[in-house]
Amino acid sequence: MSKAEFVPNDKGSFVILEDGERVAEMVIGIVGEEMSVYHTAVLERLQGQGLAKQLLDTMAEYARDNNLMVTTYCPFVQGQFRKQEDQYSDIWKKDKPQLKAM
């Protein structure tokens, strides 16, 4: 299985591949100095193995390396940002309205 990587020309996403198959992805968009995170998904057979966290860590590192602030519309990322606010406060754009899961 590959490590998480950024794919800029593919709707903007961080992906993890296994034997050429996309097994996990985080869909994002970047405009100016802001990254929006829309969705995180992991194939059902691989859930619970830390792949979503690997995507989150890679996204956060990319945001820091590129001086981007993150707005999240993804329930997973939003939950992680809230649980570990001190770890993500430098990149989390909290003042931007966040969508809530229904």
Side-chain angles (χ1 to χ4, degrees):
M1 191 165 324
S2 69
K3 66 177 192 163
E5 62 181 292
F6 180 53
V7 182
N9 296 331
D10 181 83
K11 73 188 165 208
S13 60
F14 292 91
V15 300
I16 297 174
L17 303 175
E18 179 180 63
D19 298 325
E21 176 188 14
R22 185 176 293 212
V23 296
E25 77 174 345
M26 178 180 286
V27 180
I28 61 105
I30 300 173
V31 176
E33 295 178 352
E34 185 173 318
M35 177 190 298
S36 296
V37 180
Y38 299 109
H39 181 70
T40 303
V42 176
L43 286 182
E44 190 172 347
R45 67 182 169 84
L46 296 173
Q47 290 178 1
Q49 296 183 26
L51 298 181
K53 177 70 165 104
Q54 187 179 344
L55 290 168
L56 175 63
D57 291 345
T58 302
M59 179 276 295
E61 180 181 345
Y62 184 89
R64 288 182 180 106
D65 289 349
N66 292 278
N67 298 311
L68 299 171
M69 294 301 293
V70 177
T71 301
T72 179
Y73 303 99
C74 170
F76 169 74
V77 175
Q78 192 172 80
Q80 294 300 307
F81 277 20
R82 285 191 175 141
K83 286 180 193 173
Q84 302 172 41
E85 190 170 338
D86 57 324
Q87 185 176 342
Y88 300 108
S89 63
D90 62 320
I91 59 170
W92 188 15
K93 191 167 185 172
K94 284 181 67 173
D95 60 339
K96 186 112 179 195
Q98 310 289 307
L99 294 179
K100 293 184 179 175
M102 306 279 300

Short mmCIF file of all heavy atoms in Angstrom, two decimals, residues 14-81:
data_model
loop_
_atom_site.label_atom_id
_atom_site.label_comp_id
_atom_site.label_asym_id
_atom_site.label_seq_id
_atom_site.Cartn_x
_atom_site.Cartn_y
_atom_site.Cartn_z
N PHE A 14 -6.04 14.04 -1.70
CA PHE A 14 -4.97 13.23 -1.13
C PHE A 14 -5.46 11.80 -1.26
O PHE A 14 -6.63 11.51 -0.98
CB PHE A 14 -4.74 13.60 0.33
CG PHE A 14 -4.16 14.98 0.49
CD1 PHE A 14 -4.99 16.08 0.65
CD2 PHE A 14 -2.79 15.19 0.46
CE1 PHE A 14 -4.47 17.35 0.78
CE2 PHE A 14 -2.27 16.47 0.59
CZ PHE A 14 -3.11 17.55 0.74
N VAL A 15 -4.60 10.91 -1.72
CA VAL A 15 -5.03 9.54 -1.98
C VAL A 15 -4.04 8.53 -1.41
O VAL A 15 -2.86 8.83 -1.21
CB VAL A 15 -5.21 9.27 -3.49
CG1 VAL A 15 -6.24 10.20 -4.09
CG2 VAL A 15 -3.90 9.37 -4.24
N ILE A 16 -4.56 7.34 -1.17
CA ILE A 16 -3.74 6.17 -0.83
C ILE A 16 -4.13 5.10 -1.84
O ILE A 16 -5.32 4.82 -2.04
CB ILE A 16 -3.98 5.69 0.60
CG1 ILE A 16 -3.58 6.78 1.61
CG2 ILE A 16 -3.20 4.40 0.87
CD1 ILE A 16 -3.92 6.46 3.05
N LEU A 17 -3.11 4.52 -2.48
CA LEU A 17 -3.34 3.48 -3.48
C LEU A 17 -2.86 2.13 -2.96
O LEU A 17 -1.89 2.05 -2.21
CB LEU A 17 -2.59 3.80 -4.77
CG LEU A 17 -2.90 5.14 -5.44
CD1 LEU A 17 -1.98 5.37 -6.63
CD2 LEU A 17 -4.35 5.21 -5.87
N GLU A 18 -3.54 1.09 -3.42
CA GLU A 18 -3.10 -0.28 -3.14
C GLU A 18 -3.17 -1.03 -4.47
O GLU A 18 -4.26 -1.16 -5.05
CB GLU A 18 -4.01 -0.94 -2.11
CG GLU A 18 -3.62 -2.37 -1.79
CD GLU A 18 -4.55 -2.99 -0.76
OE1 GLU A 18 -5.75 -3.13 -1.06
OE2 GLU A 18 -4.06 -3.34 0.31
N ASP A 19 -2.03 -1.47 -4.96
CA ASP A 19 -1.97 -2.16 -6.26
C ASP A 19 -2.66 -1.35 -7.35
O ASP A 19 -3.40 -1.88 -8.17
CB ASP A 19 -2.58 -3.56 -6.16
CG ASP A 19 -1.84 -4.45 -5.18
OD1 ASP A 19 -0.60 -4.33 -5.08
OD2 ASP A 19 -2.51 -5.26 -4.50
N GLY A 20 -2.43 -0.03 -7.35
CA GLY A 20 -3.00 0.85 -8.36
C GLY A 20 -4.44 1.25 -8.13
O GLY A 20 -5.00 2.06 -8.86
N GLU A 21 -5.08 0.69 -7.11
CA GLU A 21 -6.48 1.01 -6.79
C GLU A 21 -6.53 2.08 -5.71
O GLU A 21 -5.82 1.99 -4.71
CB GLU A 21 -7.20 -0.25 -6.29
CG GLU A 21 -8.62 0.00 -5.85
CD GLU A 21 -9.27 -1.21 -5.18
OE1 GLU A 21 -8.57 -2.17 -4.82
OE2 GLU A 21 -10.50 -1.17 -5.01
N ARG A 22 -7.38 3.06 -5.91
CA ARG A 22 -7.58 4.11 -4.90
C ARG A 22 -8.41 3.52 -3.77
O ARG A 22 -9.57 3.18 -3.94
CB ARG A 22 -8.32 5.28 -5.53
CG ARG A 22 -8.48 6.46 -4.62
CD ARG A 22 -9.12 7.61 -5.33
NE ARG A 22 -8.21 8.10 -6.36
CZ ARG A 22 -8.12 9.35 -6.75
NH1 ARG A 22 -8.92 10.26 -6.24
NH2 ARG A 22 -7.27 9.72 -7.67
N VAL A 23 -7.78 3.36 -2.60
CA VAL A 23 -8.46 2.74 -1.47
C VAL A 23 -8.88 3.75 -0.41
O VAL A 23 -9.68 3.44 0.47
CB VAL A 23 -7.60 1.62 -0.84
CG1 VAL A 23 -7.39 0.48 -1.84
CG2 VAL A 23 -6.28 2.15 -0.32
N ALA A 24 -8.33 4.96 -0.49
CA ALA A 24 -8.71 6.03 0.44
C ALA A 24 -8.44 7.37 -0.22
O ALA A 24 -7.48 7.51 -0.97
CB ALA A 24 -7.90 5.91 1.74
N GLU A 25 -9.34 8.32 0.04
CA GLU A 25 -9.12 9.65 -0.52
C GLU A 25 -9.73 10.72 0.36
O GLU A 25 -10.69 10.48 1.08
CB GLU A 25 -9.67 9.76 -1.94
CG GLU A 25 -11.17 9.91 -2.03
CD GLU A 25 -11.67 10.17 -3.44
OE1 GLU A 25 -10.88 10.53 -4.33
OE2 GLU A 25 -12.88 10.00 -3.65
N MET A 26 -9.14 11.90 0.27
CA MET A 26 -9.64 13.09 0.92
C MET A 26 -9.77 14.14 -0.18
O MET A 26 -8.78 14.54 -0.78
CB MET A 26 -8.68 13.58 2.01
CG MET A 26 -9.11 14.86 2.70
SD MET A 26 -7.93 15.37 3.98
CE MET A 26 -8.29 14.15 5.26
N VAL A 27 -10.99 14.55 -0.46
CA VAL A 27 -11.26 15.51 -1.54
C VAL A 27 -11.14 16.92 -0.98
O VAL A 27 -11.76 17.26 0.03
CB VAL A 27 -12.66 15.28 -2.14
CG1 VAL A 27 -12.94 16.28 -3.25
CG2 VAL A 27 -12.79 13.86 -2.66
N ILE A 28 -10.33 17.74 -1.66
CA ILE A 28 -10.06 19.10 -1.19
C ILE A 28 -10.12 20.07 -2.37
O ILE A 28 -10.17 19.66 -3.52
CB ILE A 28 -8.68 19.20 -0.50
CG1 ILE A 28 -7.52 18.82 -1.46
CG2 ILE A 28 -8.61 18.27 0.71
CD1 ILE A 28 -6.75 19.99 -1.95
N GLY A 29 -10.10 21.33 -2.04
CA GLY A 29 -9.97 22.38 -3.04
C GLY A 29 -9.08 23.47 -2.46
O GLY A 29 -9.10 23.71 -1.25
N ILE A 30 -8.29 24.09 -3.30
CA ILE A 30 -7.41 25.17 -2.84
C ILE A 30 -7.70 26.41 -3.68
O ILE A 30 -7.67 26.36 -4.91
CB ILE A 30 -5.93 24.79 -2.97
CG1 ILE A 30 -5.63 23.56 -2.11
CG2 ILE A 30 -5.03 25.97 -2.57
CD1 ILE A 30 -4.24 22.99 -2.28
N VAL A 31 -8.00 27.50 -2.99
CA VAL A 31 -8.19 28.80 -3.63
C VAL A 31 -7.38 29.80 -2.83
O VAL A 31 -7.61 29.98 -1.63
CB VAL A 31 -9.68 29.21 -3.65
CG1 VAL A 31 -9.84 30.61 -4.24
CG2 VAL A 31 -10.51 28.21 -4.44
N GLY A 32 -6.41 30.42 -3.50
CA GLY A 32 -5.55 31.37 -2.80
C GLY A 32 -4.80 30.69 -1.68
O GLY A 32 -4.11 29.70 -1.90
N GLU A 33 -4.96 31.21 -0.48
CA GLU A 33 -4.25 30.67 0.68
C GLU A 33 -5.18 29.87 1.58
O GLU A 33 -4.94 29.73 2.78
CB GLU A 33 -3.61 31.82 1.47
CG GLU A 33 -2.53 32.53 0.68
CD GLU A 33 -1.92 33.69 1.43
OE1 GLU A 33 -2.40 34.05 2.51
OE2 GLU A 33 -0.93 34.22 0.92
N GLU A 34 -6.24 29.34 1.00
CA GLU A 34 -7.20 28.55 1.78
C GLU A 34 -7.46 27.20 1.14
O GLU A 34 -7.67 27.10 -0.07
CB GLU A 34 -8.52 29.30 1.90
CG GLU A 34 -9.53 28.62 2.78
CD GLU A 34 -10.76 29.46 3.01
OE1 GLU A 34 -10.63 30.68 3.23
OE2 GLU A 34 -11.86 28.89 2.97
N MET A 35 -7.41 26.17 1.97
CA MET A 35 -7.74 24.82 1.55
C MET A 35 -9.08 24.45 2.18
O MET A 35 -9.26 24.63 3.38
CB MET A 35 -6.68 23.81 2.00
CG MET A 35 -7.02 22.36 1.65
SD MET A 35 -5.94 21.14 2.43
CE MET A 35 -4.35 21.56 1.75
N SER A 36 -9.99 23.94 1.38
CA SER A 36 -11.27 23.43 1.88
C SER A 36 -11.23 21.91 1.77
O SER A 36 -10.87 21.37 0.73
CB SER A 36 -12.43 23.97 1.06
OG SER A 36 -12.52 25.38 1.20
N VAL A 37 -11.60 21.24 2.86
CA VAL A 37 -11.68 19.79 2.87
C VAL A 37 -13.15 19.41 2.82
O VAL A 37 -13.92 19.80 3.70
CB VAL A 37 -11.00 19.19 4.12
CG1 VAL A 37 -11.10 17.67 4.10
CG2 VAL A 37 -9.55 19.63 4.22
N TYR A 38 -13.52 18.64 1.79
CA TYR A 38 -14.93 18.33 1.56
C TYR A 38 -15.35 16.94 2.02
O TYR A 38 -16.46 16.75 2.49
CB TYR A 38 -15.25 18.48 0.07
CG TYR A 38 -15.02 19.87 -0.43
CD1 TYR A 38 -13.95 20.15 -1.28
CD2 TYR A 38 -15.84 20.92 -0.05
CE1 TYR A 38 -13.72 21.43 -1.74
CE2 TYR A 38 -15.61 22.21 -0.50
CZ TYR A 38 -14.55 22.46 -1.35
OH TYR A 38 -14.32 23.74 -1.80
N HIS A 39 -14.47 15.96 1.84
CA HIS A 39 -14.90 14.58 2.07
C HIS A 39 -13.69 13.68 2.29
O HIS A 39 -12.66 13.86 1.64
CB HIS A 39 -15.69 14.10 0.85
CG HIS A 39 -16.22 12.71 0.96
ND1 HIS A 39 -17.23 12.37 1.82
CD2 HIS A 39 -15.88 11.57 0.32
CE1 HIS A 39 -17.49 11.07 1.69
NE2 HIS A 39 -16.68 10.57 0.79
N THR A 40 -13.84 12.72 3.17
CA THR A 40 -12.82 11.69 3.38
C THR A 40 -13.51 10.34 3.29
O THR A 40 -14.56 10.14 3.89
CB THR A 40 -12.15 11.84 4.76
OG1 THR A 40 -11.58 13.15 4.86
CG2 THR A 40 -11.05 10.80 4.96
N ALA A 41 -12.92 9.43 2.52
CA ALA A 41 -13.50 8.09 2.36
C ALA A 41 -12.41 7.03 2.33
O ALA A 41 -11.32 7.26 1.80
CB ALA A 41 -14.31 8.02 1.07
N VAL A 42 -12.73 5.88 2.92
CA VAL A 42 -11.85 4.72 2.93
C VAL A 42 -12.71 3.52 2.55
O VAL A 42 -13.84 3.38 3.04
CB VAL A 42 -11.23 4.50 4.33
CG1 VAL A 42 -10.38 3.23 4.37
CG2 VAL A 42 -10.39 5.71 4.75
N LEU A 43 -12.18 2.66 1.68
CA LEU A 43 -12.92 1.45 1.32
C LEU A 43 -13.31 0.70 2.59
O LEU A 43 -12.52 0.60 3.54
CB LEU A 43 -12.08 0.53 0.44
CG LEU A 43 -11.87 0.95 -1.01
CD1 LEU A 43 -11.07 -0.10 -1.75
CD2 LEU A 43 -13.19 1.21 -1.72
N GLU A 44 -14.52 0.17 2.59
CA GLU A 44 -15.06 -0.49 3.78
C GLU A 44 -14.14 -1.59 4.31
O GLU A 44 -13.92 -1.71 5.51
CB GLU A 44 -16.44 -1.06 3.47
CG GLU A 44 -17.17 -1.55 4.69
CD GLU A 44 -18.60 -1.93 4.41
OE1 GLU A 44 -19.14 -1.62 3.33
OE2 GLU A 44 -19.20 -2.57 5.29
N ARG A 45 -13.55 -2.35 3.42
CA ARG A 45 -12.70 -3.48 3.85
C ARG A 45 -11.42 -3.02 4.55
O ARG A 45 -10.75 -3.82 5.22
CB ARG A 45 -12.36 -4.39 2.67
CG ARG A 45 -11.48 -3.75 1.62
CD ARG A 45 -11.23 -4.73 0.45
NE ARG A 45 -10.62 -4.09 -0.67
CZ ARG A 45 -9.31 -3.89 -0.80
NH1 ARG A 45 -8.48 -4.32 0.13
NH2 ARG A 45 -8.84 -3.29 -1.88
N LEU A 46 -11.07 -1.73 4.42
CA LEU A 46 -9.84 -1.22 5.03
C LEU A 46 -10.10 -0.22 6.16
O LEU A 46 -9.16 0.34 6.72
CB LEU A 46 -8.97 -0.56 3.96
CG LEU A 46 -8.46 -1.52 2.88
CD1 LEU A 46 -7.76 -0.75 1.77
CD2 LEU A 46 -7.54 -2.57 3.47
N GLN A 47 -11.37 -0.02 6.49
CA GLN A 47 -11.67 0.93 7.57
C GLN A 47 -11.15 0.41 8.90
O GLN A 47 -11.03 -0.79 9.11
CB GLN A 47 -13.18 1.18 7.63
CG GLN A 47 -13.65 1.98 6.43
CD GLN A 47 -15.15 2.22 6.42
OE1 GLN A 47 -15.87 1.81 7.31
NE2 GLN A 47 -15.62 2.89 5.38
N GLY A 48 -10.78 1.34 9.77
CA GLY A 48 -10.26 0.97 11.08
C GLY A 48 -8.78 0.69 11.09
O GLY A 48 -8.23 0.25 12.10
N GLN A 49 -8.10 0.95 9.98
CA GLN A 49 -6.66 0.67 9.89
C GLN A 49 -5.82 1.95 9.90
O GLN A 49 -4.63 1.91 9.61
CB GLN A 49 -6.36 -0.15 8.65
CG GLN A 49 -7.01 -1.52 8.69
CD GLN A 49 -6.65 -2.38 7.49
OE1 GLN A 49 -5.61 -2.20 6.87
NE2 GLN A 49 -7.52 -3.30 7.15
N GLY A 50 -6.45 3.09 10.16
CA GLY A 50 -5.70 4.34 10.27
C GLY A 50 -5.46 5.07 8.96
O GLY A 50 -4.68 6.02 8.93
N LEU A 51 -6.12 4.66 7.88
CA LEU A 51 -5.89 5.32 6.60
C LEU A 51 -6.42 6.75 6.58
O LEU A 51 -5.78 7.65 6.02
CB LEU A 51 -6.48 4.50 5.45
CG LEU A 51 -5.90 3.10 5.26
CD1 LEU A 51 -6.56 2.41 4.07
CD2 LEU A 51 -4.40 3.14 5.09
N ALA A 52 -7.58 6.98 7.18
CA ALA A 52 -8.13 8.34 7.22
C ALA A 52 -7.20 9.26 8.01
O ALA A 52 -6.97 10.40 7.63
CB ALA A 52 -9.53 8.34 7.82
N LYS A 53 -6.63 8.75 9.09
CA LYS A 53 -5.69 9.55 9.89
C LYS A 53 -4.42 9.84 9.08
O LYS A 53 -3.86 10.93 9.16
CB LYS A 53 -5.36 8.79 11.18
CG LYS A 53 -4.34 9.49 12.06
CD LYS A 53 -4.90 10.74 12.71
CE LYS A 53 -4.02 11.21 13.84
NZ LYS A 53 -3.20 12.35 13.53
N GLN A 54 -3.99 8.88 8.29
CA GLN A 54 -2.82 9.09 7.44
C GLN A 54 -3.11 10.20 6.43
O GLN A 54 -2.25 11.06 6.18
CB GLN A 54 -2.45 7.79 6.72
CG GLN A 54 -1.17 7.87 5.94
CD GLN A 54 -0.83 6.54 5.25
OE1 GLN A 54 -1.39 5.48 5.57
NE2 GLN A 54 0.06 6.60 4.30
N LEU A 55 -4.31 10.19 5.85
CA LEU A 55 -4.70 11.27 4.93
C LEU A 55 -4.72 12.61 5.66
O LEU A 55 -4.23 13.61 5.15
CB LEU A 55 -6.07 10.98 4.32
CG LEU A 55 -6.16 9.83 3.33
CD1 LEU A 55 -7.62 9.50 3.04
CD2 LEU A 55 -5.42 10.16 2.04
N LEU A 56 -5.29 12.62 6.86
CA LEU A 56 -5.36 13.85 7.66
C LEU A 56 -3.96 14.39 7.96
O LEU A 56 -3.70 15.59 7.79
CB LEU A 56 -6.12 13.59 8.95
CG LEU A 56 -6.18 14.75 9.95
CD1 LEU A 56 -6.92 15.94 9.37
CD2 LEU A 56 -6.85 14.28 11.24
N ASP A 57 -3.06 13.52 8.36
CA ASP A 57 -1.69 13.95 8.67
C ASP A 57 -1.00 14.52 7.44
O ASP A 57 -0.30 15.53 7.52
CB ASP A 57 -0.88 12.78 9.23
CG ASP A 57 -1.33 12.33 10.61
OD1 ASP A 57 -2.09 13.08 11.28
OD2 ASP A 57 -0.96 11.21 11.02
N THR A 58 -1.19 13.88 6.30
CA THR A 58 -0.57 14.35 5.06
C THR A 58 -1.16 15.69 4.64
O THR A 58 -0.44 16.60 4.22
CB THR A 58 -0.74 13.30 3.94
OG1 THR A 58 -0.14 12.07 4.38
CG2 THR A 58 -0.07 13.75 2.65
N MET A 59 -2.48 15.83 4.77
CA MET A 59 -3.14 17.10 4.44
C MET A 59 -2.63 18.22 5.34
O MET A 59 -2.32 19.32 4.88
CB MET A 59 -4.67 16.95 4.58
CG MET A 59 -5.45 18.22 4.29
SD MET A 59 -5.60 19.38 5.69
CE MET A 59 -6.57 18.43 6.83
N ALA A 60 -2.53 17.96 6.65
CA ALA A 60 -2.07 18.98 7.59
C ALA A 60 -0.63 19.39 7.29
O ALA A 60 -0.29 20.58 7.32
CB ALA A 60 -2.21 18.46 9.03
N GLU A 61 0.21 18.43 6.99
CA GLU A 61 1.60 18.72 6.64
C GLU A 61 1.67 19.58 5.37
O GLU A 61 2.42 20.55 5.29
CB GLU A 61 2.38 17.42 6.44
CG GLU A 61 3.83 17.62 6.08
CD GLU A 61 4.56 16.30 5.88
OE1 GLU A 61 4.07 15.24 6.28
OE2 GLU A 61 5.67 16.35 5.29
N TYR A 62 0.85 19.23 4.38
CA TYR A 62 0.82 19.99 3.14
C TYR A 62 0.34 21.43 3.40
O TYR A 62 0.92 22.38 2.88
CB TYR A 62 -0.11 19.31 2.13
CG TYR A 62 -0.11 19.99 0.78
CD1 TYR A 62 0.81 19.62 -0.20
CD2 TYR A 62 -1.01 21.01 0.49
CE1 TYR A 62 0.83 20.25 -1.44
CE2 TYR A 62 -1.01 21.64 -0.75
CZ TYR A 62 -0.09 21.27 -1.70
OH TYR A 62 -0.07 21.91 -2.93
N ALA A 63 -0.69 21.57 4.22
CA ALA A 63 -1.19 22.90 4.55
C ALA A 63 -0.11 23.74 5.23
O ALA A 63 0.09 24.91 4.89
CB ALA A 63 -2.43 22.80 5.44
N ARG A 64 0.59 23.15 6.18
CA ARG A 64 1.66 23.88 6.88
C ARG A 64 2.81 24.24 5.93
O ARG A 64 3.29 25.37 5.94
CB ARG A 64 2.19 23.05 8.04
CG ARG A 64 1.22 22.95 9.18
CD ARG A 64 1.76 22.15 10.36
NE ARG A 64 0.78 22.12 11.42
CZ ARG A 64 0.05 21.04 11.73
NH1 ARG A 64 0.23 19.89 11.07
NH2 ARG A 64 -0.84 21.10 12.69
N ASP A 65 3.21 23.29 5.11
CA ASP A 65 4.32 23.53 4.18
C ASP A 65 4.00 24.62 3.16
O ASP A 65 4.91 25.26 2.63
CB ASP A 65 4.69 22.25 3.43
CG ASP A 65 5.37 21.22 4.32
OD1 ASP A 65 5.75 21.54 5.48
OD2 ASP A 65 5.50 20.06 3.87
N ASN A 66 2.70 24.80 2.87
CA ASN A 66 2.29 25.75 1.84
C ASN A 66 1.55 26.96 2.41
O ASN A 66 0.92 27.71 1.66
CB ASN A 66 1.43 25.03 0.80
CG ASN A 66 2.25 24.05 -0.01
OD1 ASN A 66 2.92 24.43 -0.96
ND2 ASN A 66 2.23 22.78 0.38
N ASN A 67 1.64 27.14 3.73
CA ASN A 67 1.02 28.28 4.42
C ASN A 67 -0.46 28.45 4.07
O ASN A 67 -0.91 29.54 3.75
CB ASN A 67 1.79 29.57 4.12
CG ASN A 67 3.21 29.50 4.61
OD1 ASN A 67 3.46 29.14 5.76
ND2 ASN A 67 4.15 29.81 3.74
N LEU A 68 -1.19 27.34 4.16
CA LEU A 68 -2.62 27.34 3.86
C LEU A 68 -3.43 27.23 5.15
O LEU A 68 -3.05 26.49 6.06
CB LEU A 68 -2.98 26.16 2.95
CG LEU A 68 -2.29 26.12 1.59
CD1 LEU A 68 -2.58 24.79 0.90
CD2 LEU A 68 -2.76 27.28 0.72
N MET A 69 -4.54 27.94 5.20
CA MET A 69 -5.50 27.78 6.28
C MET A 69 -6.58 26.82 5.80
O MET A 69 -6.96 26.84 4.62
CB MET A 69 -6.11 29.13 6.67
CG MET A 69 -5.09 30.08 7.29
SD MET A 69 -4.30 29.45 8.79
CE MET A 69 -5.67 29.42 9.94
N VAL A 70 -7.09 25.99 6.70
CA VAL A 70 -8.01 24.92 6.33
C VAL A 70 -9.42 25.20 6.85
O VAL A 70 -9.62 25.46 8.03
CB VAL A 70 -7.53 23.56 6.88
CG1 VAL A 70 -8.52 22.45 6.55
CG2 VAL A 70 -6.14 23.23 6.34
N THR A 71 -10.37 25.14 5.93
CA THR A 71 -11.80 25.15 6.27
C THR A 71 -12.30 23.75 5.99
O THR A 71 -11.99 23.18 4.94
CB THR A 71 -12.56 26.15 5.38
OG1 THR A 71 -12.02 27.44 5.57
CG2 THR A 71 -14.03 26.17 5.73
N THR A 72 -13.04 23.18 6.94
CA THR A 72 -13.48 21.80 6.74
C THR A 72 -15.00 21.68 6.68
O THR A 72 -15.71 22.24 7.49
CB THR A 72 -12.91 20.88 7.82
OG1 THR A 72 -13.40 19.56 7.59
CG2 THR A 72 -13.24 21.32 9.22
N TYR A 73 -15.43 20.96 5.66
CA TYR A 73 -16.83 20.59 5.48
C TYR A 73 -17.00 19.09 5.67
O TYR A 73 -18.07 18.56 5.51
CB TYR A 73 -17.32 21.01 4.10
CG TYR A 73 -17.14 22.49 3.86
CD1 TYR A 73 -16.06 22.98 3.12
CD2 TYR A 73 -18.03 23.41 4.39
CE1 TYR A 73 -15.89 24.34 2.91
CE2 TYR A 73 -17.87 24.77 4.20
CZ TYR A 73 -16.80 25.22 3.46
OH TYR A 73 -16.63 26.57 3.26
N CYS A 74 -15.90 18.42 5.99
CA CYS A 74 -15.86 16.97 6.16
C CYS A 74 -16.06 16.64 7.64
O CYS A 74 -15.28 17.10 8.48
CB CYS A 74 -14.49 16.46 5.68
SG CYS A 74 -14.17 14.74 6.09
N PRO A 75 -17.06 15.83 7.98
CA PRO A 75 -17.30 15.49 9.39
C PRO A 75 -16.11 14.83 10.07
O PRO A 75 -15.84 15.12 11.24
CB PRO A 75 -18.49 14.53 9.33
CG PRO A 75 -19.18 14.84 8.05
CD PRO A 75 -18.09 15.27 7.10
N PHE A 76 -15.38 13.98 9.37
CA PHE A 76 -14.22 13.33 9.98
C PHE A 76 -13.16 14.36 10.35
O PHE A 76 -12.68 14.39 11.49
CB PHE A 76 -13.62 12.27 9.04
CG PHE A 76 -12.27 11.78 9.50
CD1 PHE A 76 -12.17 10.92 10.58
CD2 PHE A 76 -11.10 12.19 8.88
CE1 PHE A 76 -10.93 10.49 11.04
CE2 PHE A 76 -9.87 11.77 9.31
CZ PHE A 76 -9.78 10.90 10.39
N VAL A 77 -12.78 15.20 9.40
CA VAL A 77 -11.73 16.19 9.66
C VAL A 77 -12.20 17.19 10.72
O VAL A 77 -11.45 17.54 11.64
CB VAL A 77 -11.30 16.91 8.36
CG1 VAL A 77 -10.30 18.02 8.65
CG2 VAL A 77 -10.71 15.90 7.39
N GLN A 78 -13.42 17.63 10.63
CA GLN A 78 -13.96 18.57 11.61
C GLN A 78 -13.91 17.96 13.02
O GLN A 78 -13.51 18.62 13.97
CB GLN A 78 -15.39 18.93 11.23
CG GLN A 78 -15.93 20.11 12.00
CD GLN A 78 -17.27 20.53 11.44
OE1 GLN A 78 -18.27 19.90 11.77
NE2 GLN A 78 -17.28 21.53 10.60
N GLY A 79 -14.27 16.70 13.13
CA GLY A 79 -14.22 16.03 14.42
C GLY A 79 -12.80 15.93 14.97
O GLY A 79 -12.56 16.16 16.16
N GLN A 80 -11.85 15.60 14.11
CA GLN A 80 -10.45 15.51 14.54
C GLN A 80 -9.91 16.88 14.95
O GLN A 80 -9.17 16.99 15.93
CB GLN A 80 -9.59 14.90 13.43
CG GLN A 80 -9.90 13.45 13.14
CD GLN A 80 -9.71 12.56 14.35
OE1 GLN A 80 -8.65 12.56 14.98
NE2 GLN A 80 -10.73 11.81 14.70
N PHE A 81 -10.26 17.91 14.19
CA PHE A 81 -9.82 19.27 14.53
C PHE A 81 -10.37 19.68 15.89
O PHE A 81 -9.67 20.30 16.68
CB PHE A 81 -10.27 20.26 13.46
CG PHE A 81 -9.36 20.36 12.26
CD1 PHE A 81 -8.46 19.37 11.93
CD2 PHE A 81 -9.42 21.47 11.44
CE1 PHE A 81 -7.63 19.47 10.82
CE2 PHE A 81 -8.59 21.60 10.33
CZ PHE A 81 -7.69 20.59 10.03
#
